[in-house]
């Protein structure tokens, strides 16, 4: 049964006003939750056992929700500590869809505003501050070399030790590849590295370019297990420094190099037998896709292979929505996605022949849930590396992304391509991809 008001005490006028506001705003909410107010009074909504408790610490947030109910407002309040979530964060994220659909007639809105003015005032909560909002708000979407460098630094230079707390031992910040749902994150990421190398059909002595090499996992793996000469580029100073030390520690100086370089500044023609880009394409910008693909074409030798691993959207273009606003404000300031068909069309227009396409959407949902669990388990250690708002941004963003991948609104594809009109040494079937690994 509906158990609204089960715990509510009517002794406080403030509590009564807050109760009326919350009951109206959450009317029809498909989930079930407890609400704990700033004065430790309780309210319950929905049917069945509560999946989570939403803690409201600042009554002024209710005033904002009456006039502007966007999910980004709730996310911002969570980052600032105005609200908190105890229990299942994934269930709490169902509030996003509820508030997106909520429409109040003007009479109801007026009544709620009158109640909102009855609420007590509280001191402002701690703001997210520092880089987390200021940089995202001032960055443009023009994707200049400088703005791209700032955007990458904003996301990846948070702290190497922070990422190490929840990534796998190879330190891979991209979708893993689960042969079974029970694979550990470490195993699934090694599966992914092996799969990428198999798809590229790497051979000893070949020259591999990794555009957006992260902390150097793939270039070191490819050199160690396949005997290739690998070169990685990144715009992140923290990633570069870590990868450089990793190359030394693994004794791969003769095979692996890494540098800070924008892909647009790569020099030369037909230098690499294979080119790969994993999780970097999202930062390129849709207007820059022809430039990006033309650089790959120029760097790739005739008969070579190019593997692009990137996130896609379920609709064309990067339009202004709640999701895109949240991602660009807090997570990837210059990130832009498109549907997979447009990505393939762009590759074909750039002179590529599509050889293979594989969807990894469910794999990324599993990956993200692993990351969230590991981050939550290491919360105390994470707060030694970053501030509380930054921790909350990553926790909420990755949990929300897991749900988005599970729902199919976001996808991810590995697309293998070659120069059109030039024969490759690819086998006639995919059987070699699924043969027992020698790694």
């Amino acid at each position: 049964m509906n158990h609204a008001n089960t715990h509510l005490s009517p002794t406080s006028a403030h509590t009564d006003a807050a109760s009326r506001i919350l009951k109206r705003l959450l009317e029809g909410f498909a989930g079930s939750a407890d609400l704990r107010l700033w004065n430790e009074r309780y309210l319950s909504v929905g049917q069945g056992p509560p999946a989570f408790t939403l803690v409201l610490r600042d009554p002024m947030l209710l005033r904002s929700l009456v006039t502007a109910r966007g999910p980004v407002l709730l996310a911002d309040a969570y980052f600032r500590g105005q609200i908190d979530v105890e229990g299942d964060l994934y269930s709490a994220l169902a509030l996003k869809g509820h508030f997106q659909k909520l429409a109040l007639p003007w009479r109801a809105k007026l009544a709620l505003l009158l109640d909102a003015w009855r609420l007590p005032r509280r001191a402002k909560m701690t703001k997210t501050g520092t880089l987390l909002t200021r940089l995202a708000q001032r960055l443009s979407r023009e994707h200049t070399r400088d703005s791209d460098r700032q955007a990458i630094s904003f996301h990846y230079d948070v702290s190497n030790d922070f990422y190490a707390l929840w990534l796998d031992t190879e330190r891979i910040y991209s979708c893993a590849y689960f042969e079974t749902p029970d694979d550990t994150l470490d195993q699934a990421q090694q599966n992914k590295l092996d799969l990428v190398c198999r798809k590229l059909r790497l051979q000893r002595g070949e020259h591999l370019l990794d555009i957006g090499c992260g902390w150097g996992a793939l270039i070191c793996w490819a050199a160690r297990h396949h005997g290739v000469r690998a070169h990685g580029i990144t715009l992140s100073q923290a990633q570069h420094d870590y990868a450089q030390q990793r190359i030394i520690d693994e004794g791969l100086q003769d095979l692996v190099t890494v540098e800070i370089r924008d892909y647009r500044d790569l020099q030369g023609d037909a230098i690499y037998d294979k080119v790969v880009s994993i999780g970097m394409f999202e930062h390129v910008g849709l207007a820059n896709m022809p430039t990006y693909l033309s650089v790959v074409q120029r760097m790739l030798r005739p008969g070579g292979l190019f593997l692009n691993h990137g996130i896609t959207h379920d609709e064309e273009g990067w339009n202004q929505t709640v999701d895109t606003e949240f991602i660009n404000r807090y997570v990837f300031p210059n990130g832009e996605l498109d549907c997979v068909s447009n990505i393939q069309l762009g590759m074909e227009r750039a002179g590529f022949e599509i050889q293979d396409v594989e969807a990894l959407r469910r794999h990324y949902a599993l990956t993200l849930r692993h990351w969230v669990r590991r981050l939550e388990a290491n919360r105390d250690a994470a707060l030694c590396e970053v501030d509380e708002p930054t921790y909350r941004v990553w926790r909420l963003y990755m949990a929300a992304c897991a749900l988005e991948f599970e729902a199919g609104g976001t996808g991810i594809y590995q697309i293998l391509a070659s120069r059109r009109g030039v024969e490759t040494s690819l086998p006639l079937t995919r059987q070699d991809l699924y043969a027992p690994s020698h790694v």
Side-chain angles (χ1 to χ4, degrees):
M1 67 176 182
N2 189 305
H3 56 279
N5 283 329
T6 300
H7 303 292
L8 182 63
S9 170
T11 57
S12 166
H14 295 157
T15 302
D16 289 344
S19 172
R20 287 190 292 269
I21 293 172
L22 287 166
K23 286 169 62 179
R24 185 63 182 88
L25 292 179
L26 293 174
E27 184 178 353
F29 175 55
S32 179
D34 278 341
L35 308 175
R36 188 167 78 241
L37 305 183
W38 59 91
N39 56 9
E40 297 301 317
R41 301 298 176 86
Y42 276 83
L43 170 72
S44 294
V45 295
Q47 297 182 352
F52 63 94
T53 298
L54 189 68
V55 183
L56 179 64
R57 295 199 172 97
D58 186 356
M60 289 298 96
L61 176 62
L62 287 182
R63 289 191 183 183
S64 301
L65 287 173
V66 170
T67 56
R69 291 168 303 282
V72 173
L73 175 64
L74 283 174
D76 189 75
Y78 172 70
F79 303 149
R80 297 173 188 273
Q82 292 175 291
I83 59 174
D84 213 337
V85 177
E86 297 175 355
D88 186 7
L89 178 62
Y90 295 99
S91 296
L93 285 167
L95 289 168
K96 169 191 168 186
H98 174 80
F99 278 101
Q100 281 181 290
K101 297 175 183 177
L102 182 64
L104 295 174
W106 71 268
R107 290 181 184 275
K109 187 179 293 187
L110 179 60
L112 293 180
L113 282 172
L114 292 174
D115 271 330
W117 283 108
R118 296 188 177 101
L119 297 175
R121 289 185 174 273
R122 283 175 65 91
K124 290 184 178 180
M125 308 299 288
T126 302
K127 293 186 177 181
T128 48
T130 62
L131 191 65
L132 212 51
T133 53
R134 295 200 304 270
L135 177 58
Q137 289 169 350
R138 78 164 185 262
L139 281 175
S140 70
R141 292 175 60 181
E142 295 177 356
H143 287 277
T144 64
R145 285 166 173 77
D146 183 59
S147 68
D148 281 356
R149 190 180 305 109
Q150 290 183 62
I152 294 299
S153 176
F154 172 83
H155 190 85
Y156 293 102
D157 290 349
V158 174
S159 163
N160 281 340
D161 291 336
F162 171 70
Y163 281 102
L165 291 171
W166 47 274
L167 294 180
D168 63 299
T169 53
E170 293 285 345
R171 200 166 296 194
I172 301 171
Y173 187 35
S174 58
C175 175
Y177 190 76
F178 292 82
E179 294 182 354
T180 76
D182 296 326
D183 281 352
T184 65
L185 182 62
D186 285 350
Q187 181 61 57
Q189 289 292 16
Q190 291 179 18
N191 293 343
K192 192 268 294 294
L193 293 176
D194 190 42
L195 180 68
V196 168
C197 292
R198 283 168 173 257
K199 286 185 175 182
L200 288 169
R201 275 73 179 191
L202 293 182
Q203 301 295 320
R204 184 171 298 277
E206 287 186 330
H207 205 177
L208 169 70
L209 171 66
D210 185 355
I211 301 176
C213 65
W215 288 276
L218 178 60
I219 51 178
C220 290
W221 181 276
R224 195 166 61 243
H225 295 291
H226 297 271
V228 302
R229 293 177 294 134
H231 181 65
I233 63 171
T234 178
L235 293 179
S236 166
Q237 185 69 53
Q239 288 183 337
H240 169 271
D241 294 346
Y242 180 90
Q244 192 76 276
Q245 187 60 50
R246 177 178 190 161
I247 293 166
I248 295 171
D249 292 343
E250 296 186 19
L252 296 173
Q253 299 95 314
D254 293 338
L255 291 176
V256 183
T257 53
V258 63
E259 66 173 332
I260 294 179
R261 183 177 292 272
D262 191 292
Y263 72 90
R264 289 165 287 198
D265 296 328
L266 287 165
Q267 301 297 314
D269 295 278
I271 294 175
Y272 297 96
D273 300 286
K274 310 289 168 64
V275 177
V276 64
S277 180
I278 298 179
M280 176 271 183
F281 186 73
E282 300 87 338
H283 300 287
V284 168
L286 301 185
N288 276 0
M289 187 166 75
T291 300
Y292 166 77
L293 294 171
S294 69
V295 169
V296 175
Q297 273 276 14
R298 175 169 55 82
M299 304 305 294
L300 192 62
R301 288 175 179 165
L305 295 174
F306 166 46
L307 188 142
N308 191 80
H309 169 121
I311 301 173
T312 61
H313 211 28
D314 63 349
E315 60 184 37
E316 293 188 66
W318 190 240
N319 303 312
Q320 188 70 25
T321 66
V322 168
D323 297 321
T324 61
E325 180 186 354
F326 172 80
I327 290 173
N328 289 149
R329 180 182 297 182
Y330 294 109
V331 187
F332 294 109
N334 278 13
E336 294 178 4
L337 306 178
D338 206 346
C339 59
V340 65
S341 54
N342 279 352
I343 303 302
Q344 293 183 82
L345 179 61
M347 295 177 74
E348 290 175 326
R349 286 174 173 168
F352 285 104
E353 178 184 359
I354 307 298
Q355 298 287 354
D356 189 271
V357 179
E358 183 172 7
L360 301 178
R361 177 183 60 81
R362 292 185 296 168
H363 295 265
Y364 217 162
L366 288 170
T367 304
L368 284 155
R369 283 187 176 263
H370 272 277
W371 287 345
V372 172
R373 281 196 298 270
R374 292 161 73 104
L375 177 62
E376 290 175 340
N378 289 288
R379 180 180 181 276
D380 291 344
L383 293 178
C384 293
E385 301 297 331
V386 299
D387 57 21
E388 176 78 28
T390 303
Y391 167 83
R392 288 173 176 244
V393 166
W394 255 254
R395 180 185 181 224
L396 185 70
Y397 139 68
M398 292 193 294
C401 283
L403 295 178
E404 188 70 10
F405 276 101
E406 288 167 357
T410 308
I412 184 165
Y413 292 85
Q414 287 185 352
I415 304 176
L416 184 70
S418 63
R419 285 186 178 184
R420 185 184 299 118
V422 180
E423 285 300 323
T424 71
S425 59
L426 283 171
L428 292 175
T429 73
R430 296 179 176 178
Q431 291 179 2
D432 61 311
L433 295 182
Y434 306 108
S437 173
H438 71 279
V439 175

